[in-house]
Amino acid sequence: MKLYVLADMEGISGIRAIEQVKRDSNEYAHGRELMMRELNAAVAALAEAGVDDIVVCDTHAGGGQVRMDAMDPRALYETPNAGRLMPSLDESFDGVVLLGHHAKAGTRNGFLDHTWSSASWFEYRINDCNVGEIAIEAAWAAHYGVPVVAVSGDAATAAEARELLGRVETATVKWAIGRNRAKCLPLPRAHEEIASALRRAVASIGE
């Protein structure tokens, strides 16, 4: 079985303030560490569920958060580029996991809600429907006939994923307090929520 994990940063477990996702902040190093820990938890859960081919892409701010020396060796890692959102994604994959994602721009009680650029864009439309990054990435995957099988992030993200995709496994690891702060599950509980969602997702592939 072959799965693609596309990781963003705002929805990562333990990230609860905007300073943790900004590279010019003193809190960024901690946010990056939290992201790597969650990536490792996800890769471990997928491998233990029987996935033998895992590709991970770090999409936050164009990539660059992943420290290869700290990552689980059971996956391959790549970074996006201007021409390809998930560079090696093709018809050979069985599913896509959206890890650490956030709600679309304008979502009430969505932690750090935006669609690609909070500074430049407020509304993005596909077929005249207002959508966010989950929909954009799901559409990209659907071009290759690959389903999004699991999504993790805050409660608003999980709700957006279920409304958009129907049968998809979700893991809620935080709840927004306004837009710029969040209350989070402790990391062990959050990682177990993600692992459980991924196990269910792997079991459902083909259905």
Side-chain angles (χ1 to χ4, degrees):
M1 190 176 294
K2 188 174 184 181
L3 288 185
Y4 199 104
V5 179
L6 184 64
D8 208 346
M9 199 170 187
E10 288 85 358
I12 292 293
S13 311
I15 290 182
R16 60 198 183 279
I18 192 171
E19 292 79 12
Q20 292 171 286
V21 303
K22 296 172 71 70
R23 288 179 177 156
D24 59 356
S25 167
N26 292 334
E27 297 295 319
Y28 170 73
H30 184 229
R32 185 182 182 190
E33 177 187 351
L34 291 169
M35 183 178 190
M36 290 189 292
R37 291 175 67 179
E38 185 157 303
L39 277 172
N40 282 340
V43 170
L46 291 173
E48 290 160 10
V51 181
D52 50 17
D53 198 343
I54 305 167
V55 176
V56 172
C57 185
D58 157 26
T59 187
H60 180 74
Q65 277 65 228
V66 170
R67 274 187 48 202
M68 293 298 297
D69 61 340
M71 301 310 295
D72 192 308
R74 289 172 288 188
L76 299 176
Y77 297 90
E78 63 184 14
T79 55
N81 59 49
R84 290 187 66 83
L85 179 64
M86 295 176 263
S88 67
L89 185 72
D90 59 22
E91 296 86 349
S92 68
F93 283 82
D94 296 294
V96 170
V97 172
L98 302 181
L99 190 74
H101 272 55
H102 54 80
K104 66 184 178 182
T107 300
R108 186 175 184 179
N109 293 324
F111 177 63
L112 299 181
D113 61 290
H114 66 280
T115 301
W116 274 350
S117 170
S118 57
S120 303
W121 297 0
F122 180 75
E123 189 169 270
Y124 188 104
R125 288 182 171 267
I126 297 176
N127 294 336
D128 206 32
C129 295
N130 180 10
V131 299
E133 292 174 28
I134 294 171
I136 295 167
E137 293 155 1
W140 184 284
H143 172 74
Y144 299 102
V146 182
V148 172
V149 296
V151 179
S152 74
D154 72 350
T157 301
E160 181 179 324
R162 290 191 297 268
E163 180 179 359
L164 174 73
L165 302 172
R167 183 175 179 182
V168 63
E169 298 298 337
T170 60
T172 297
V173 300
K174 68 182 79 177
W175 294 261
I177 306 170
R179 181 178 187 271
N180 292 316
R181 293 290 183 269
K183 54 184 179 183
C184 303
L185 289 176
L187 293 187
R189 285 179 57 194
H191 291 169
E192 180 51 37
E193 286 289 323
I194 291 168
S196 295
L198 295 181
R199 288 191 290 265
R200 295 192 302 269
V202 170
S204 74
I205 288 174
E207 297 179 9

